[in-house]
Amino acid sequence: MKTLLKVLGGLIVLVLLGAGGTFTWAKSTTADKLAQSYEAHTIDFPMPWPLSEAELAAIVKERAAEKAKAEAPAPAGDGAGEAPAEGGAPAEGEGAAEPAADPLEGIDLAAIAMERAVARGKHLVEARYACIECHGEDFSGGVMVDDPAMGKILGPNITTGKGGKTEGYTPADWDRIVRHGIKRDGKPAVMPSEDFQLMSDQELSDIIAYLQTAPAVDNEVPAVSLGPVGTMLMATGGLPLSADIVEDHDGAHPKLPPNSEPTAEFGKHLAGICTGCHRKTLEGGPIPVGPPDWPPAMNLTPHADGLEGWSFDDFKKAMTEGVRPDGTELKVPMTLVLPYAQKMKDVEMKALWEYISKLPPKPTGI
């Protein structure tokens, strides 16, 4: 009996030593991954996004209508518009054509561009890109993951207050952090940049314009602190960094989003934000980023595992009310999406469904 106990004790010691060694390796490997440097292209885009030719033409038309209304003849009987007295000769040079005035003269086009960019950016943040979910309602920092096993991953302060990370950011800096997952110093960010691969330059510019209207908030957000499960997952590739997931750090980004129409093209653009959880082809499956108790992401293809038999109304109800056609309720993290989906425009919801409903059916991922 004593011999058996000694053997068991020895095995336990070996297991503990092995586990300790494995975790030491995982911590070292994770630290190396978070310390490595990445390079991405340097791009530039205007902030705010300038008015388009169509917008300028609409302003000209509006101003012409206002001018015509102001110059319309007064009603008869008030002496206006009467014929000049006989014998009156026109003054020298009278009647000569005057140079056409610039129809946009005196209009603050920069202010109009900023106003419209901020409005578009507000909608993008509140209905489509869910920046608030990670960075907080006032953008001074929020909770992405706070779990003893996974660790504490907090969204940084992106206001201009003390502790803010975006003071003096150029368009290239914004591009690298948002669409490439690379911080200003070249180190990887724990940010879901894979979700923003289809974001256009204009949309990013509009989001920046809106974020810059946020009041400065002083808040120092602690750095990433991974727990034992998070450490092991990152070390073994189960918790990949966006900088590694993004396939091309030199490729061009779309300048403009597709037209806002109920088309599959626009829907595919909108669905880019879904890929981080539901995978690139939206077949769903286990979610690598998040607490271990998160359920697998739902299959969004028209497969028997997914949305086969769903109608647009079924889809809209699930997105905005969190209830499937069979009456079951959606779970976290999908329930976090509801407040954003509720603010989507009808054309956006229809376009998203137009794209998803036409996807090739695929079984749920593993």
Side-chain angles (χ1 to χ4, degrees):
M1 186 65 178
K2 290 182 180 180
T3 302
L4 178 60
L5 290 174
K6 288 181 180 180
V7 171
L8 289 175
L11 289 174
I12 291 172
V13 169
L14 288 175
V15 169
L16 291 175
L17 289 173
T22 299
F23 188 65
T24 299
W25 165 83
K27 287 181 67 176
S28 175
T29 302
T30 295
D32 289 343
K33 286 190 174 186
L34 293 174
Q36 62 187 325
S37 293
Y38 294 80
E39 292 186 3
H41 58 199
T42 299
I43 68 166
D44 195 16
F45 51 78
M47 299 189 302
W49 199 263
L51 297 170
S52 67
E53 292 296 326
E55 288 176 307
L56 291 172
I59 292 172
V60 170
K61 185 177 180 180
E62 180 181 343
R63 190 172 193 190
E66 292 174 353
K67 184 177 180 181
K69 183 178 180 180
E71 295 177 350
D78 62 359
E82 293 181 3
E86 289 187 14
E92 186 177 347
E94 189 175 320
E98 296 182 1
D102 181 355
L104 296 174
E105 183 180 358
I107 299 178
D108 192 342
L109 297 178
I112 295 174
M114 177 60 80
E115 181 182 357
R116 296 185 180 185
V118 169
R120 290 192 302 265
K122 184 175 189 292
H123 175 71
L124 291 171
V125 167
E126 293 183 348
R128 299 232 317 254
Y129 288 108
C131 309
I132 295 169
E133 208 57 45
C134 292
H135 298 284
E137 291 188 5
D138 62 359
F139 307 113
S140 68
V143 178
M144 299 170 69
V145 176
D146 189 0
D147 180 87
M150 288 295 294
K152 184 172 287 190
I153 304 175
L154 308 178
N157 180 350
I158 54 174
T159 76
T160 56
K162 183 179 179 181
K165 300 298 185 182
T166 60
E167 180 71 27
Y169 260 39
T170 66
D173 294 329
W174 281 104
D175 166 59
R176 280 193 287 266
I177 188 66
V178 173
R179 294 186 291 197
H180 297 272
I182 302 173
K183 294 186 286 189
R184 211 174 189 181
D185 62 2
K187 300 296 188 292
V190 185
M191 179 172 178
S193 297
E194 63 271 22
D195 287 353
F196 310 131
Q197 293 307 289
L198 300 183
M199 181 188 286
S200 66
D201 289 345
Q202 180 184 342
E203 289 168 310
L204 180 52
S205 178
D206 290 343
I207 289 171
I208 297 166
Y210 174 60
L211 292 178
Q212 290 179 340
T213 67
V217 180
D218 294 341
N219 185 34
E220 297 281 355
V221 177
V224 171
S225 175
L226 294 176
V229 173
T231 299
M232 291 298 298
L233 285 174
M234 182 166 289
T236 57
L239 184 61
L241 294 162
S242 293
D244 291 325
I245 296 175
V246 175
E247 296 175 354
D248 189 357
H249 289 303
D250 293 312
H253 303 290
K255 294 289 183 185
L256 299 169
N259 291 334
S260 183
E261 301 170 341
T263 61
E265 179 189 11
F266 186 38
K268 181 179 181 179
H269 178 76
L270 298 174
I273 190 69
C274 309
T275 58
C277 289
H278 295 274
R279 305 191 181 190
K280 197 169 184 178
T281 50
L282 303 183
E283 74 272 20
I287 303 173
V289 180
D293 60 344
W294 275 9
M298 186 173 179
N299 186 339
L300 300 183
T301 75
H303 187 272
D305 291 350
L307 307 188
E308 183 182 63
W310 282 41
S311 67
F312 168 70
D313 289 338
D314 293 331
F315 175 69
K316 184 176 181 179
K317 184 173 183 178
M319 287 287 287
T320 58
E321 299 179 29
V323 180
R324 300 184 185 90
D326 63 5
T328 57
E329 296 184 351
L330 300 182
K331 299 178 180 179
V332 174
M334 195 61 202
T335 52
L336 303 176
V337 176
L338 301 184
Y340 303 97
Q342 289 164 2
K343 294 183 179 180
M344 289 180 71
K345 298 175 182 178
D346 199 44
V347 67
E348 293 170 329
M349 190 71 71
K350 288 179 178 178
L352 190 55
W353 175 247
E354 183 66 20
Y355 171 64
I356 287 175
S357 63
K358 301 296 191 302
L359 286 171
K362 293 191 68 174
T364 301
I366 55 175

